[in-house]
PDB file of all heavy atoms in Angstrom:
ATOM      1  N   VAL A  19       3.893   1.553  -1.229  1.00 91.00           N
ATOM      2  CA  VAL A  19       4.477   1.722  -2.577  1.00 91.00           C
ATOM      3  C   VAL A  19       3.438   2.207  -3.570  1.00 91.00           C
ATOM      4  O   VAL A  19       3.675   3.062  -4.407  1.00 91.00           O
ATOM      5  CB  VAL A  19       5.144   0.412  -3.060  1.00 91.00           C
ATOM      6  CG1 VAL A  19       5.684   0.561  -4.463  1.00 91.00           C
ATOM      7  CG2 VAL A  19       6.255  -0.024  -2.110  1.00 91.00           C
ATOM      8  N   ASP A  20       2.243   1.634  -3.474  1.00 91.00           N
ATOM      9  CA  ASP A  20       1.109   2.054  -4.343  1.00 91.00           C
ATOM     10  C   ASP A  20       0.828   3.548  -4.178  1.00 91.00           C
ATOM     11  O   ASP A  20       0.558   4.228  -5.178  1.00 91.00           O
ATOM     12  CB  ASP A  20      -0.148   1.268  -3.989  1.00 91.00           C
ATOM     13  CG  ASP A  20      -0.459   0.204  -5.051  1.00 91.00           C
ATOM     14  OD1 ASP A  20       0.113   0.318  -6.157  1.00 91.00           O
ATOM     15  OD2 ASP A  20      -1.230  -0.697  -4.746  1.00 91.00           O
ATOM     16  N   GLU A  21       0.870   4.019  -2.948  1.00 93.00           N
ATOM     17  CA  GLU A  21       0.621   5.428  -2.682  1.00 93.00           C
ATOM     18  C   GLU A  21       1.688   6.296  -3.330  1.00 93.00           C
ATOM     19  O   GLU A  21       1.382   7.343  -3.927  1.00 93.00           O
ATOM     20  CB  GLU A  21       0.606   5.663  -1.144  1.00 93.00           C
ATOM     21  CG  GLU A  21       0.058   7.027  -0.789  1.00 93.00           C
ATOM     22  CD  GLU A  21       0.005   7.189   0.740  1.00 93.00           C
ATOM     23  OE1 GLU A  21      -0.344   6.234   1.473  1.00 93.00           O
ATOM     24  OE2 GLU A  21       0.303   8.315   1.203  1.00 93.00           O
ATOM     25  N   ALA A  22       2.932   5.844  -3.252  1.00 94.00           N
ATOM     26  CA  ALA A  22       4.029   6.593  -3.888  1.00 94.00           C
ATOM     27  C   ALA A  22       3.891   6.594  -5.410  1.00 94.00           C
ATOM     28  O   ALA A  22       4.143   7.615  -6.059  1.00 94.00           O
ATOM     29  CB  ALA A  22       5.373   5.947  -3.503  1.00 94.00           C
ATOM     30  N   ILE A  23       3.422   5.489  -5.989  1.00 94.00           N
ATOM     31  CA  ILE A  23       3.178   5.415  -7.433  1.00 94.00           C
ATOM     32  C   ILE A  23       2.076   6.407  -7.804  1.00 94.00           C
ATOM     33  O   ILE A  23       2.209   7.127  -8.829  1.00 94.00           O
ATOM     34  CB  ILE A  23       2.814   3.973  -7.889  1.00 94.00           C
ATOM     35  CG1 ILE A  23       4.014   3.048  -7.750  1.00 94.00           C
ATOM     36  CG2 ILE A  23       2.263   3.954  -9.311  1.00 94.00           C
ATOM     37  CD1 ILE A  23       3.738   1.570  -7.949  1.00 94.00           C
ATOM     38  N   GLN A  24       1.029   6.434  -7.018  1.00 94.00           N
ATOM     39  CA  GLN A  24      -0.088   7.348  -7.313  1.00 94.00           C
ATOM     40  C   GLN A  24       0.348   8.836  -7.251  1.00 94.00           C
ATOM     41  O   GLN A  24       0.022   9.624  -8.131  1.00 94.00           O
ATOM     42  CB  GLN A  24      -1.246   7.130  -6.294  1.00 94.00           C
ATOM     43  CG  GLN A  24      -2.470   7.990  -6.492  1.00 94.00           C
ATOM     44  CD  GLN A  24      -3.093   7.866  -7.852  1.00 94.00           C
ATOM     45  OE1 GLN A  24      -3.097   6.810  -8.445  1.00 94.00           O
ATOM     46  NE2 GLN A  24      -3.594   8.975  -8.396  1.00 94.00           N
ATOM     47  N   LYS A  25       1.153   9.158  -6.262  1.00 95.00           N
ATOM     48  CA  LYS A  25       1.661  10.536  -6.151  1.00 95.00           C
ATOM     49  C   LYS A  25       2.552  10.884  -7.334  1.00 95.00           C
ATOM     50  O   LYS A  25       2.503  12.022  -7.833  1.00 95.00           O
ATOM     51  CB  LYS A  25       2.434  10.694  -4.816  1.00 95.00           C
ATOM     52  CG  LYS A  25       1.513  10.827  -3.620  1.00 95.00           C
ATOM     53  CD  LYS A  25       2.287  10.984  -2.329  1.00 95.00           C
ATOM     54  CE  LYS A  25       1.344  11.119  -1.142  1.00 95.00           C
ATOM     55  NZ  LYS A  25       2.114  11.160   0.138  1.00 95.00           N
ATOM     56  N   THR A  26       3.372   9.924  -7.750  1.00 95.00           N
ATOM     57  CA  THR A  26       4.250  10.135  -8.897  1.00 95.00           C
ATOM     58  C   THR A  26       3.415  10.327 -10.169  1.00 95.00           C
ATOM     59  O   THR A  26       3.715  11.183 -10.988  1.00 95.00           O
ATOM     60  CB  THR A  26       5.237   8.955  -9.048  1.00 95.00           C
ATOM     61  OG1 THR A  26       5.935   8.779  -7.828  1.00 95.00           O
ATOM     62  CG2 THR A  26       6.241   9.250 -10.152  1.00 95.00           C
ATOM     63  N   ASN A  27       2.351   9.549 -10.296  1.00 94.00           N
ATOM     64  CA  ASN A  27       1.428   9.704 -11.443  1.00 94.00           C
ATOM     65  C   ASN A  27       0.849  11.090 -11.486  1.00 94.00           C
ATOM     66  O   ASN A  27       0.726  11.693 -12.576  1.00 94.00           O
ATOM     67  CB  ASN A  27       0.307   8.686 -11.334  1.00 94.00           C
ATOM     68  CG  ASN A  27       0.618   7.388 -12.053  1.00 94.00           C
ATOM     69  OD1 ASN A  27       1.376   7.375 -12.996  1.00 94.00           O
ATOM     70  ND2 ASN A  27       0.007   6.281 -11.588  1.00 94.00           N
ATOM     71  N   GLU A  28       0.477  11.620 -10.322  1.00 96.00           N
ATOM     72  CA  GLU A  28      -0.115  12.956 -10.270  1.00 96.00           C
ATOM     73  C   GLU A  28       0.897  14.012 -10.693  1.00 96.00           C
ATOM     74  O   GLU A  28       0.576  14.960 -11.433  1.00 96.00           O
ATOM     75  CB  GLU A  28      -0.615  13.241  -8.831  1.00 96.00           C
ATOM     76  CG  GLU A  28      -1.846  12.464  -8.456  1.00 96.00           C
ATOM     77  CD  GLU A  28      -2.180  12.527  -6.982  1.00 96.00           C
ATOM     78  OE1 GLU A  28      -1.561  13.349  -6.278  1.00 96.00           O
ATOM     79  OE2 GLU A  28      -3.089  11.810  -6.525  1.00 96.00           O
ATOM     80  N   ILE A  29       2.176  13.865 -10.239  1.00 96.00           N
ATOM     81  CA  ILE A  29       3.219  14.776 -10.638  1.00 96.00           C
ATOM     82  C   ILE A  29       3.459  14.721 -12.151  1.00 96.00           C
ATOM     83  O   ILE A  29       3.607  15.749 -12.823  1.00 96.00           O
ATOM     84  CB  ILE A  29       4.533  14.467  -9.883  1.00 96.00           C
ATOM     85  CG1 ILE A  29       4.379  14.788  -8.379  1.00 96.00           C
ATOM     86  CG2 ILE A  29       5.713  15.278 -10.444  1.00 96.00           C
ATOM     87  CD1 ILE A  29       5.513  14.251  -7.523  1.00 96.00           C
ATOM     88  N   ILE A  30       3.443  13.478 -12.693  1.00 94.00           N
ATOM     89  CA  ILE A  30       3.659  13.322 -14.142  1.00 94.00           C
ATOM     90  C   ILE A  30       2.544  14.023 -14.916  1.00 94.00           C
ATOM     91  O   ILE A  30       2.824  14.735 -15.894  1.00 94.00           O
ATOM     92  CB  ILE A  30       3.697  11.803 -14.507  1.00 94.00           C
ATOM     93  CG1 ILE A  30       4.996  11.198 -14.018  1.00 94.00           C
ATOM     94  CG2 ILE A  30       3.538  11.601 -16.005  1.00 94.00           C
ATOM     95  CD1 ILE A  30       5.050   9.651 -14.099  1.00 94.00           C
TER      96      ILE A  30
END
Side-chain angles (χ1 to χ4, degrees):
V19 178
D20 255 343
E21 192 177 322
I23 290 171
Q24 181 57 36
K25 284 180 180 175
T26 306
N27 269 332
E28 288 169 9
I29 292 169
I30 288 170

